[in-house]
Amino acid sequence: MLDLTFDDTPTAATASAAVPVSLPRKYLFHALGNDDYELAIDNSNLELFTQCDTAAYYRLILGRSTGMTAATVYGQAIHSALDVFYADKALDLPPDISRMLPPALAELAKAPSDMLGWRNEAQLTETLVRYIKKYSSELWSILDVESRPAVELPFRFDFGHIDINANVACSGHNLVDNDLPDTPLYVRKLRIVYTGRIDLIVEQAGKLWVVDHKTSSVGGPSYYEGFRTSSQFRGYCYIAGQLLGREVSGAFANVILARQPTKTGRDIEYERQPFVYDESLLAEWRHNTFTNISTFVARIISGDFPQRTTHCTNKFGTCPYLSVCALPPHLRPHLLYSGNYTEHTWNPLA
Ligand code: SF4
């Protein structure tokens, strides 16, 4: 059921240097032969289609995305540096900013500097230097999984398969990573796989914890409240428990609050909060997730992806497809396939 994907992906310390400049289009289905397909779902896909079917249709089926933002590039840069910090820690090497910076700067270099604004090299360096100072003697000890430190740990969890035995309304051309015609796709069985990468698995005072690095400009109680029912956190705890064969107590949100520098000096802050999930919550995650994926598969079969407007705007801003959804349906393809949207591509670090 559970498979560690120890592929040729570079270790955390060198991953960023290997990112190709041009990434291929990401498709939902992978052909297994005999009209069988695999549907690999990661946490961001899961969140997308549980929030809005239309958004999932635009991004995951039609492959139209909104590309990078300054916040996501900066967050990925910090994440890359923390991967080095913890990969070195697992080897008992002291923190070394000169090793952490290169992969982080490689991430920053993916965006035009005028887009990044205050999220520049100097601010990034200051953030990492302060992180080292704050956490170089932290009490976490990093677990090994199959003789490999649990840092940026890739996984695949096999949920089993769904018998379809029918044409699905969405075309093979949109769904499959082969060059198939733009006609409904016949699917016999659909294998469902949950994939992702766990940032860290650690032990503290005899208890096991998943750690997830977060970079946010918004903190406060409501930010942390959301982690109590987080599908990502519960899912990663379930997976970590399966990998280790031991009970996992919960997950730490390892948060870096990164804001535009101000005179008050509160532009960079570090916060950690643990969230405990008992066995019944993790079992519920498994049930919920398979049910949600099955519902999405039913959408793919029917070709009906209704708008769910609750998430058109939220505290972080507006849905990137708001301008599309605001148009009459017959005009939407013009905007969706304009330069405002880019191809949805693989992110080898996701
Ligand atoms: S704008 Fe609203 S309805 Fe349209 S895709 Fe986004 S969340 Fe869904």
Side-chain angles (χ1 to χ4, degrees):
M1 290 284 277
L2 197 65
D3 174 22
L4 289 173
T5 54
F6 290 165
D7 52 18
D8 292 327
T9 306
T11 59
T14 58
S16 293
V19 175
V21 174
S22 173
L23 297 167
R25 154 95 150 88
K26 188 172 184 176
Y27 290 89
L28 260 189
F29 284 17
H30 171 66
L32 300 175
N34 285 336
D35 296 321
D36 292 348
Y37 294 88
E38 178 182 286
L39 171 61
I41 293 289
D42 63 20
N43 183 67
S44 61
N45 290 355
L46 191 58
E47 284 183 353
L48 188 66
F49 63 69
T50 50
Q51 285 178 0
C52 179
D53 292 297
T54 302
Y57 176 66
Y58 291 159
R59 183 171 303 160
L60 307 180
I61 311 286
L62 297 184
R64 302 308 293 165
S65 190
T66 44
M68 63 180 82
T69 66
T72 57
V73 169
Y74 195 64
Q76 189 59 59
I78 290 174
H79 199 294
S80 301
L82 296 190
D83 290 344
V84 177
F85 178 88
Y86 287 105
D88 284 352
K89 183 179 170 69
L91 298 171
D92 282 331
L93 296 172
D96 184 346
I97 189 70
S98 72
R99 284 176 44 72
M100 293 166 65
L101 267 180
L105 295 179
E107 290 297 324
L108 276 198
K110 291 177 183 172
S113 55
D114 59 342
M115 180 180 125
L116 290 171
W118 61 267
R119 296 174 173 94
N120 53 29
E121 179 177 344
Q123 189 71 6
L124 175 69
T125 306
E126 177 68 16
T127 304
L128 297 175
V129 166
R130 285 206 228 163
Y131 189 93
I132 291 172
K133 195 172 169 194
K134 184 168 178 67
Y135 291 127
S136 57
S137 56
E138 67 195 352
L139 298 174
W140 288 342
S141 97
I142 298 167
L143 270 282
D144 272 359
V145 175
E146 296 192 359
S147 307
R148 170 184 162 139
V151 179
E152 272 294 283
L153 189 68
F155 66 83
R156 284 168 57 87
F157 178 72
D158 189 342
F159 266 111
H161 72 267
I162 299 174
D163 287 316
I164 309 279
N165 294 314
N167 279 332
V168 304
C170 296
S171 78
H173 180 74
N174 284 330
L175 281 174
V176 188
D177 58 353
N178 284 347
D179 197 14
L180 294 184
D182 202 6
T183 52
L185 179 73
Y186 181 79
V187 180
R188 197 174 71 99
K189 284 182 181 175
L190 190 60
R191 180 153 293 283
I192 310 295
V193 178
Y194 179 60
T195 65
R197 287 174 183 264
I198 298 175
D199 289 345
L200 270 181
I201 308 175
V202 301
E203 185 162 358
Q204 179 177 302
K207 293 186 172 178
L208 304 191
W209 299 87
V210 162
V211 177
D212 197 74
H213 309 314
K214 301 282 185 200
T215 305
S216 175
S217 58
V218 183
S222 64
Y223 176 71
Y224 290 100
E225 277 293 287
F227 293 119
R228 294 175 64 194
T229 54
S230 163
S231 171
Q232 182 198 13
F233 276 21
R234 289 184 184 180
Y236 286 11
C237 288
Y238 179 86
I239 299 296
Q242 297 285 309
L243 289 172
L244 295 162
R246 290 174 61 186
E247 184 184 341
V248 173
S249 296
F252 269 95
N254 181 35
V255 180
I256 295 180
L257 290 169
R259 308 185 188 97
Q260 184 159 15
T262 63
K263 286 182 183 155
T264 63
R266 294 187 64 226
D267 52 325
I268 308 168
E269 292 181 279
Y270 306 90
E271 294 178 353
R272 284 182 178 171
Q273 281 203 25
F275 297 87
V276 174
Y277 309 111
D278 74 13
E279 228 173 81
S280 66
L281 292 175
L282 302 190
E284 183 181 56
W285 168 84
R286 181 178 169 146
H287 171 80
N288 286 346
T289 300
F290 189 71
T291 303
N292 283 329
I293 293 173
S294 301
T295 303
F296 183 56
V297 170
R299 297 286 180 212
I300 294 171
I301 294 170
S302 69
D304 187 12
F305 296 89
Q307 294 182 335
R308 297 184 190 277
T309 53
T310 315
H311 292 279
C312 296
T313 60
N314 61 38
K315 65 180 176 180
F316 296 107
T318 60
C319 169
Y321 300 108
L322 189 66
S323 300
V324 177
C325 289
L327 290 171
H330 71 283
L331 295 178
R332 290 175 192 161
H334 297 289
L335 184 53
L336 209 48
Y337 289 93
S338 73
N340 290 16
Y341 294 89
T342 59
E343 196 161 70
H344 181 45
T345 58
W346 278 102
N347 176 359
L349 303 181

